[in-house]
C-alpha cells in the first residue's frame, strides 16, 4: 500500500507541474531580432570575413614546377600527378565563396532595417554605410576568387559564375546559368565602386571636424571615430578595394582571359598605379619587405590592427608554431612537407644579376649555391644551410646520416631542399621546450602590387613606358625590387640594363621576379595558367653523394591542355541543367 501511495504521489506531482510534462521552448531568437540587435546582423558580414580564401596558407605551389610535397595525400600533389577531376578539385572555390556571397547578400538586403543607434540618425547611417561598404568589397573579393578558380571557355564563350546579388530563399530558382566573364568583371568593378564610395581609404582617428565627409555633416569627431576610427583596422577599406580591383584586372588582361573581356593591360596598370601612388610610389617599397615573415621585432611589436610597411591587408596575429611543425626539416622536429625544386633554385640569378644560364653569371655547378641571389638562402634551405633557433646545419645529401637526408624517411625531402621562407627561425619545435611565436597571413602584400604594375605597364607601354597616372616604369620597379634583394649591386645590375629596351626579355624577367618574390605564397599555379605557360615541366631535385651534385627527376606533371581552366563542381552540373561545364571537363 505504501508503494501505491508513493506512486500516486509522483503522478500528482508531475501532472500538476507543467514544466515537467511540456518541453521548454528552444532558446533561439527569431530572424527579426537582427533589426534591434546589430551584433546579430553583423554576424552575417563576419561570416564573409571568416570565409576569405586567403585566410590560410594552401601551398598550391606543390601543383607547379616550384615544389613537391612528401605527403602522399596532399591534394595539390594528387592533381599535379593526374588525379584532378571535376569531382576531385582541391582548388575548388565554388562552395565556400558562394556560401560567403549568400551571407553577404542577406546582410545587404536587411542592413538598412537595422537600428544601430536609437538616438542618433547620423551615427546609425554611418554604421550602415561602413558595413555595406565592407560587404560590397568582400563580395567582390569572393567573385574574383570564383573567376580565378572556375572561369573557362564553353563553345567559344568565356564564362564566369552565376551572378547573385540578392539572397536566395527556398522558393528561389536555383537553376541559373553562368554569366560571361565580362559580365562578372563588370559586377566586380561595380561592387568595388560601391565599396570605395562608402568606405574611408583607411581607418584612422581624426582630430578635426573638417576631416568629416560632408555627407555626415552634423556629427562630431568622437562619433565619427566610433565608426571609422582606428579600432576597425583589418576590415575592408577603400585602399583594399583598390587593390582587389588591380588584382582582378591583372588576371582579366592576361593571355588566358584577354579574348573574353574588355579589361586591358593599360587598365591593369592604371588601377595598380592608383594603389602604389597612395603608398608613395617607388619610395613606398619596404626595405625589409623580402623578409616580412621573419622581421621578428616588427611582428612582435604589431598591435591594434597596425600593418608593417610591406603589408596592405592581413589577417589577425596568432601565436603558434604550426608552420614550423609542418615545414621545418625532421632534425628540427618538423615534417618537411613542402620541398622546393631544383627548377626554382635555378631561377635565382647570380648575385651580379645575370641568370645562371648566362656565361656572365660566373655560375659554377660544383658550388651552385655560392655567389647567388641572397633570396635563395633566405627562402630555401639547401645542403649545408642553417635553420632554427640554434642555426643548426642541415645536411640534405643522399649520403647524409640524419632524417634530413634525401628520401631517408616519410618526412625527409624528396628534392634535396626544404622550405625556409614563411618560417620564423626563432621557433623551437623541441617537444621538451616548444617555443611558439607570432605569425600573420597577408591577404595582399605591396610587393605583389609593385610586380603587378611592372607586368601590366611592360605589356601596355614597354619596359620604359609609364601609365598616365604614374611616374615610374616597369624597369624602375624591377630595378628597385632587385636592389632591395641585394642583386646586381656591384655592377649597376648590368643584366637589367642590357634588356631594358626589350619588351619580351623584360617580360621574362618580370615573371621570374614574381616567381622568386612570391614563391610559396600561392601565386605560381594561377600565374602559369593566366599566362598560358606550360604546366607540365617535370619537378626536379638534386642528389648529392660524395659532394657530387646530380640533378634528378622527382615528379612528372600530368596536366592536359584544357586544365588551364578549372572545372565547375561535378555535383553542381548534375543538379542544375543550365550550368555548363568548362570545355574538356566531365
Amino acid at each position: 500500500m505504501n508503494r501505491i501511495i508513493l506512486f500516486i504521489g509522483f503522478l500528482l506531482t508531475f501532472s500538476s507541474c507543467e514544466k515537467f510534462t511540456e518541453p521548454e521552448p528552444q532558446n533561439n531568437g527569431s530572424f527579426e531580432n537582427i533589426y534591434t540587435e546589430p551584433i546579430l546582423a553583423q554576424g552575417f558580414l563576419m561570416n564573409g570575413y571568416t570565409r576569405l580564401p586567403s585566410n590560410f596558407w594552401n601551398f598550391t605551389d606543390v601543383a607547379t614546377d616550384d615544389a613537391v610535397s612528401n605527403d602522399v595525400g596532399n591534394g595539390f600533389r594528387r592533381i599535379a600527378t593526374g588525379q584532378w577531376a571535376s569531382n576531385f578539385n582541391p582548388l575548388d572555390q565554388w562552395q565556400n565563396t558562394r556560401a560567403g556571397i549568400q551571407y553577404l547578400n542577406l546582410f545587404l538586403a536587411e542592413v538598412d532595417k537595422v537600428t544601430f543607434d536609437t538616438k542618433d540618425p547620423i551615427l546609425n547611417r554611418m554604421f550602415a554605410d561602413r558595413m555595406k561598404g565592407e560587404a560590397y568589397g568582400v563580395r567582390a573579393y569572393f567573385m574574383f576568387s570564383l573567376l580565378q578558380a572556375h572561369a573557362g571557355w564553353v563553345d567559344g564563350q568565356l564564362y564566369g559564375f552565376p551572378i547573385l546579388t540578392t539572397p536566395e530563399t527556398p522558393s528561389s530558382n536555383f537553376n541559373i546559368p553562368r554569366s560571361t566573364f565580362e559580365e562578372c568583371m563588370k559586377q566586380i568593378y561595380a561592387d568595388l565602386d560601391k565599396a570605395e564610395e562608402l568606405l574611408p581609404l583607411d581607418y584612422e582617428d581624426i582630430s578635426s571636424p573638417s576631416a568629416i565627409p560632408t555627407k555626415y555633416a552634423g556629427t562630431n569627431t568622437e562619433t565619427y571615430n566610433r565608426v571609422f576610427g582606428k579600432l576597425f583596422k583589418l576590415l575592408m577599406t577603400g585602399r583594399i578595394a583598390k587593390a582587389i580591383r588591380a588584382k582582378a584586372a591583372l588576371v582579366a588582361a592576361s593571355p588566358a582571359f584577354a579574348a573574353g573581356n574588355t579589361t586591358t593591360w593599360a587598365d591593369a596598370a592604371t588601377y595598380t598605379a592608383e594603389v602604389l601612388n597612395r603608398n608613395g610610389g617607388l619610395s613606398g617599397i619596404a626595405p625589409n619587405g623580402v623578409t616580412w615573415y621573419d622581421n621578428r621585432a616588427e611582428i612582435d611589436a604589431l598591435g591594434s590592427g597596425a600593418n608593417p610597411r610591406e603589408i596592405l591587408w592581413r589577417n589577425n596575429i596568432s601565436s603558434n608554431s604550426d608552420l614550423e611543425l609542418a615545414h621545418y626539416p625532421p632534425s628540427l622536429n618538423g615534417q618537411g612537407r613542402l620541398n622546393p625544386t631544383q627548377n626554382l633554385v635555378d631561377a635565382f640569378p647570380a648575385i651580379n644579376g645575370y641568370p645562371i644560364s648566362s656565361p656572365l653569371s660566373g655560375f659554377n655547378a660544383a658550388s651552385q649555391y655560392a655567389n647567388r641571389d641572397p633570396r635563395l638562402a633566405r627562402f630555401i634551405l639547401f645542403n649545408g644551410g642553417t635553420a632554427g633557433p640554434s642555426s643548426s646545419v642541415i645536411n640534405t645529401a643522399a649520403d647524409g646520416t640524419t632524417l634530413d637526408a634525401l628520401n631517408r624517411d616519410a618526412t625527409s625531402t624528396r628534392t634535396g631542399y626544404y622550405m625556409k621562407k614563411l618560417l620564423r627561425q626563432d621557433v623551437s619545435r623541441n617537444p621538451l621546450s616548444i617555443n611558439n611565436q607570432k605569425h600573420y597571413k597577408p591577404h595582399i602584400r605591396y610587393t605583389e602590387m609593385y610586380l603587378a604594375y611592372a607586368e601590366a605597364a611592360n605589356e601596355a607601354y614597354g619596359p620604359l613606358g609609364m601609365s598616365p597616372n604614374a611616374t615610374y616604369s616597369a624597369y624602375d620597379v624591377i630595378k628597385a625590387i632587385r636592389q632591395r634583394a641585394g642583386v646586381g649591386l656591384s655592377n649597376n645590375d648590368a643584366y637589367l640594363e642590357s634588356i631594358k629596351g626589350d619588351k619580351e626579355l623584360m617580360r621574362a624577367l618580370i615573371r621570374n621576379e614574381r616567381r622568386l618574390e612570391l614563391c610559396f605564397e600561392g601565386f605560381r599555379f594561377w600565374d602559369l595558367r593566366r599566362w598560358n605557360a606550360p604546366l607540365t615541366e617535370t619537378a626536379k631535385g638534386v642528389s648529392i653523394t660524395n659532394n657530387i651534385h646530380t640533378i634528378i627527376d622527382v615528379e612528372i606533371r600530368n596536366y592536359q591542355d584544357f586544365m588551364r581552366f578549372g572545372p565547375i563542381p561535378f555535383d553542381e552540373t548534375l543538379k542544375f541543367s543550365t550550368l555548363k561545364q568548362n570545355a574538356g571537363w566531365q
Side-chain angles (χ1 to χ4, degrees):
M1 179 61 70
N2 288 338
R3 286 196 295 272
I4 293 173
I5 293 172
L6 183 62
F7 178 69
I8 294 173
F10 270 108
L11 288 178
L12 291 173
T13 300
F14 283 107
S15 63
S16 64
C17 191
E18 182 180 350
K19 69 178 180 180
F20 287 107
T21 59
E22 295 293 330
E24 284 281 7
Q26 291 186 355
N27 189 28
N28 292 334
S30 66
F31 181 84
E32 288 71 21
N33 287 358
I34 68 170
Y35 304 132
T36 55
E37 299 181 56
I39 194 67
L40 299 179
Q42 195 172 2
F44 291 111
L45 176 59
M46 291 298 108
N47 199 289
Y49 280 108
T50 61
R51 292 175 179 272
L52 289 173
S54 53
N55 275 338
F56 310 101
W57 296 112
N58 57 32
F59 299 111
T60 55
D61 306 70
V62 168
T64 76
D65 52 354
D66 274 3
V68 302
S69 176
N70 62 19
D71 178 6
V72 294
N74 181 283
F76 304 125
R77 175 177 175 176
R78 291 175 63 187
I79 69 170
T81 53
Q83 299 180 56
W84 195 8
S86 60
N87 61 354
F88 175 73
N89 183 13
L91 295 156
D92 176 71
Q93 287 296 329
W94 196 270
Q95 305 296 344
N96 176 64
T97 55
R98 293 285 299 272
I101 289 171
Q102 167 71 356
Y103 277 105
L104 296 172
N105 287 345
L106 275 168
F107 177 80
L108 288 167
E110 304 296 334
V111 64
D112 286 330
K113 305 174 190 175
V114 176
T115 301
F116 294 96
D117 189 273
T118 58
K119 298 179 181 179
D120 188 340
I122 299 179
L123 178 62
N124 198 72
R125 182 157 61 92
M126 286 194 296
F127 271 120
D129 283 354
R130 192 201 80 205
M131 293 185 191
K132 281 192 284 188
E134 293 176 64
Y136 284 122
V138 174
R139 190 171 73 178
Y141 193 56
F142 280 139
M143 291 180 178
F144 161 70
S145 300
L146 272 172
L147 275 187
Q148 182 173 249
H150 299 288
W153 294 88
V154 184
D155 299 327
Q157 175 68 59
L158 184 60
Y159 285 100
F161 50 85
I163 295 176
L164 296 171
T165 57
T166 57
E168 293 179 294
T169 69
S171 60
S172 294
N173 174 22
F174 296 97
N175 197 14
I176 299 175
R178 298 165 65 187
S179 297
T180 66
F181 190 99
E182 173 72 359
E183 290 167 340
C184 292
M185 286 299 299
K186 287 182 177 179
Q187 184 61 54
I188 290 171
Y189 290 152
D191 275 9
L192 294 171
D193 286 342
K194 291 177 181 177
E196 290 188 53
E197 174 189 338
L198 293 167
L199 295 172
L201 185 67
D202 300 296
Y203 294 112
E204 300 288 354
D205 285 349
I206 63 172
S207 56
S208 170
S210 63
I212 298 173
T214 55
K215 61 182 176 180
Y216 302 131
T219 194
N220 56 45
T221 57
E222 180 181 359
T223 303
Y224 182 84
N225 290 340
R226 181 180 166 190
V227 182
F228 295 107
K230 64 182 181 181
L231 294 179
F232 300 100
K233 290 180 177 180
L234 302 187
L235 298 179
M236 179 62 60
T237 65
R239 186 186 299 270
I240 297 167
K242 290 179 184 298
I244 296 171
R245 185 189 305 274
K247 286 171 67 73
L250 185 75
V251 169
S254 296
F257 304 102
N261 77 107
T262 58
T263 297
T264 65
W265 285 119
D267 294 330
T270 296
Y271 298 151
T272 312
E274 289 181 10
V275 177
L276 302 185
N277 290 343
R278 287 169 173 79
N279 192 48
L282 288 184
S283 65
I285 295 177
N288 64 349
V290 173
T291 54
W292 60 268
Y293 53 89
D294 197 25
N295 294 334
R296 302 168 196 176
E298 179 181 73
I299 295 171
D300 293 344
L302 289 176
S304 302
N307 276 333
R309 187 172 170 183
E310 167 64 14
I311 304 302
L312 193 152
W313 187 26
R314 65 173 175 86
N315 65 5
N316 288 318
I317 293 173
S318 59
S319 184
N320 59 58
S321 56
D322 296 344
L323 277 173
E324 289 74 23
L325 170 62
H327 300 292
Y328 263 178
S331 65
L332 296 180
N333 299 290
Q335 298 169 328
R337 288 306 188 204
L338 188 147
N339 307 151
T341 60
Q342 186 68 44
N343 314 54
L344 177 58
V345 170
D346 290 346
F348 288 86
I351 195 167
N352 67 6
Y354 283 92
I356 63 170
S357 58
S358 169
L360 297 176
S361 68
F363 175 71
N364 182 355
S367 55
Q368 65 165 310
Y369 311 123
N371 298 314
R372 296 291 293 277
D373 180 337
R375 290 173 294 189
L376 174 58
R378 290 179 178 136
F379 295 169
I380 296 177
L381 185 55
F382 47 75
N383 187 53
T386 60
S390 300
S391 297
S392 303
V393 176
I394 305 301
N395 185 346
T396 69
D399 56 2
T401 59
T402 71
L403 291 181
D404 298 336
L406 181 72
N407 291 324
R408 181 59 57 90
D409 186 72
T411 56
S412 303
T413 176
R414 299 172 61 210
T415 62
Y417 302 104
Y418 293 97
M419 184 180 80
K420 191 172 184 180
K421 185 181 177 182
L422 306 184
L423 310 182
R424 283 191 56 156
Q425 299 301 315
D426 55 344
V427 163
S428 170
R429 283 300 310 177
N430 186 325
L432 300 179
S433 58
I434 292 177
N435 173 25
N436 292 325
Q437 297 291 353
K438 292 180 179 179
H439 298 75
Y440 64 85
K441 168 70 171 63
H443 296 299
I444 303 174
R445 290 205 289 130
Y446 271 111
T447 295
E448 176 195 349
M449 292 287 102
Y450 283 100
L451 290 167
Y453 174 82
E455 180 179 346
N458 182 62
E459 298 297 339
Y461 308 108
L464 300 174
M466 303 177 190
S467 173
N469 62 334
T471 57
Y472 38 87
S473 65
Y475 159 82
D476 293 327
V477 169
I478 295 303
K479 189 174 184 68
I481 291 289
R482 282 160 67 92
Q483 283 181 339
R484 180 181 70 176
V487 172
L489 300 183
S490 63
N491 62 355
N492 192 35
D493 205 344
Y495 176 70
L496 176 62
E497 294 300 317
S498 72
I499 68 165
K500 66 182 181 182
D502 189 314
K503 180 177 178 178
E504 292 187 5
L505 290 177
M506 182 62 77
R507 176 190 299 134
L509 180 59
I510 291 169
R511 290 183 178 184
N512 197 67
E513 283 298 313
R514 186 175 174 90
R515 181 182 191 178
L516 304 183
E517 285 281 344
L518 303 179
C519 66
F520 314 135
E521 297 183 48
F523 287 90
R524 179 70 171 168
F525 181 82
W526 308 111
D527 284 347
L528 289 173
R529 287 176 61 191
R530 69 181 177 85
W531 293 332
N532 282 335
L535 291 166
T536 54
E537 185 175 331
T538 298
K540 297 181 180 294
V542 62
S543 177
I544 305 173
T545 304
N546 295 324
N547 292 321
I548 297 174
H549 293 225
T550 302
I551 305 304
I552 59 173
D553 289 346
V554 176
E555 197 166 85
I556 303 297
R557 296 298 188 232
N558 188 1
Y559 291 106
Q560 298 182 58
D561 190 61
F562 66 82
M563 293 178 175
R564 296 182 187 281
F565 303 93
I568 303 301
F570 179 69
D571 58 350
E572 294 293 297
T573 61
L574 288 180
K575 289 185 292 185
F576 307 119
S577 60
T578 64
L579 205 59
K580 295 182 179 180
Q581 182 61 277
N582 289 333
W585 298 95
Q586 300 299 316

